[in-house]
Amino acid sequence: MRFRRTPLAPPSSDDPTPTEVAGAASAEAAHLALVEDAAAEQAGASPGADVSVPDLTAAAFFDVDNTLMQGASVFHFARGLAARDFFRSRDLLRFAAIQVRFRLSGEKESDTTTAREGALAFVAGRRVAEIVELGEEIYDDLMADRIYPRTLLLARKHLEEGQRVWLVTATPVELATIIARRLGLTGALGTVAEDVDGIYTGRLYGELLHGPAKAAAVRALAAREGLDLRRCTAYSDSVNDVPMLSVVGTGVAVNPDGALRQIARERGWQILDFRVGRKAALIGVPSVLGAGVVTAGVLAGRYAWQRRRS
């Protein structure tokens, strides 16, 4: 899969916040990927979903982790990278330590900067094309069978109604775009990492596409694509996505955590639960323990991959 890297347009604000920068960069990357897909289709590539009567002002936005896919997509991605000896165990442990320290100390400005800078530092110096190629492999190996069929059915229903469907996730935009294309969706909004001449610098545009940044990205994409947000729908499992769910006309809680379930009831949002048992999906793992759980899982993934290759 190709992934076009073009200089990103700056946000309209004279003094944008990291949230605005992240949102604008994500919307720009999503638009460029859409243009690329249209050009490829005209050149004879496999077309996307066939929509007879397009509805150009309405769209649906889907969170990925535990909404469309069981578990965290970046966790599965990290497992796949570690299994392929992409980085050393001690690098992963150092990253996990940064995340634990960040969780324990709270969202102080200095800690937020550290966490942001460390989020995708492991790709610094790597080629964008390499990450995309690995993402394709890892999707097949670790993600394809973790898609919630009923959530995907919802997404495809929007497509059948002529609406565009976008994923919105903190996962790197390259990986998010792979997931969207594999599922036949329109595109994806994700975290955008800076690159120079196709080589990652290890820095982000703004911040991770998380919380308010997702809402900023949805607003930026709506402005670029001519969407009427009052006619749009958003789906998520997490209370962190209340800003995104609130910026559209219809918010839907899918596999919601306890806090989102309560807010959804208060606001009259639809609640859908596609999990097999409330405890089947590991949603709501204490955040302080999350990095340690991810680290253990990634190391286990590396061991299993190495055994399979031996």
Side-chain angles (χ1 to χ4, degrees):
M1 183 194 86
R2 295 174 297 126
F3 196 87
R4 184 174 174 179
R5 304 300 291 191
T6 303
L8 298 174
S12 57
S13 171
D14 292 334
D15 188 21
T17 66
T19 295
E20 292 171 333
V21 172
S26 185
E28 180 76 359
H31 171 75
L32 292 172
L34 189 63
V35 170
E36 178 186 338
D37 283 348
E41 184 175 330
Q42 290 177 1
S46 299
D50 182 16
V51 178
S52 56
V53 183
D55 185 346
L56 299 179
T57 63
F61 298 93
F62 283 79
D63 169 55
V64 175
D65 299 348
N66 291 314
T67 301
L68 178 65
M69 176 184 297
Q70 184 176 359
S73 52
V74 74
F75 164 62
H76 300 314
F77 188 47
R79 282 181 58 203
L81 290 177
R84 291 161 174 80
D85 295 322
F86 189 85
F87 43 65
R88 295 168 297 180
S89 300
R90 65 183 182 184
D91 295 327
L92 182 65
L93 290 169
R94 185 172 66 251
F95 170 70
I98 290 173
Q99 300 308 305
V100 170
R101 186 165 63 249
F102 171 61
R103 299 292 189 181
L104 289 172
S105 61
E107 296 189 7
K108 299 177 183 177
E109 183 175 355
S110 60
D111 294 318
T112 302
T113 300
T114 299
R116 183 174 67 243
E117 291 177 349
L120 293 179
F122 63 87
V123 300
R126 299 278 188 166
R127 293 181 298 108
V128 174
E130 178 187 12
I131 296 299
V132 171
E133 182 178 356
L134 288 171
E136 296 278 6
E137 294 179 8
I138 293 169
Y139 177 84
D140 289 330
D141 195 31
L142 297 173
M143 300 182 189
D145 61 353
R146 289 178 167 83
I147 300 298
Y148 284 112
R150 293 172 68 184
T151 306
L152 181 57
L153 187 62
L154 283 175
R156 288 177 173 165
K157 183 176 180 182
H158 283 281
L159 291 174
E160 290 169 1
E161 293 173 355
Q163 299 178 14
R164 286 169 284 180
V165 176
W166 303 86
L167 302 183
V168 190
T169 175
T171 289
V173 67
E174 291 85 357
L175 179 60
T177 300
I178 289 170
I179 297 170
R181 286 176 173 166
R182 289 299 192 92
L183 297 178
L185 308 181
T186 306
L189 295 162
T191 296
V192 181
E194 180 187 76
D195 77 90
V196 176
D197 297 328
I199 304 296
Y200 286 114
T201 67
R203 296 186 294 269
L204 302 182
Y205 279 97
E207 61 186 16
L208 291 170
L209 201 73
H210 176 77
K214 285 188 177 183
V218 168
R219 286 193 297 266
L221 185 68
R224 176 175 279 281
E225 299 294 325
L227 299 174
D228 180 353
L229 286 176
R230 294 169 298 183
R231 300 190 63 238
C232 293
T233 307
Y235 300 81
S236 179
D237 72 295
S238 173
V239 69
N240 294 321
D241 287 340
V242 167
M244 179 181 75
L245 295 169
S246 301
V247 81
V248 297
T250 304
V252 182
V254 179
N255 305 329
D257 58 31
L260 178 59
R261 185 180 294 272
Q262 181 61 35
I263 291 174
R265 287 171 176 163
E266 293 171 356
R267 300 191 183 186
W269 291 343
Q270 185 178 10
I271 299 174
L272 303 172
D273 201 325
F274 300 148
R275 292 167 287 182
V276 180
R278 288 290 172 82
K279 297 181 180 180
L282 296 178
I283 298 176
V285 174
S287 59
V288 172
L289 300 179
V293 172
V294 168
T295 302
V298 170
L299 294 177
R302 169 183 284 180
Y303 176 70
W305 173 264
Q306 290 173 341
R307 285 195 62 186
R308 191 169 67 184
R309 294 176 61 187
S310 61

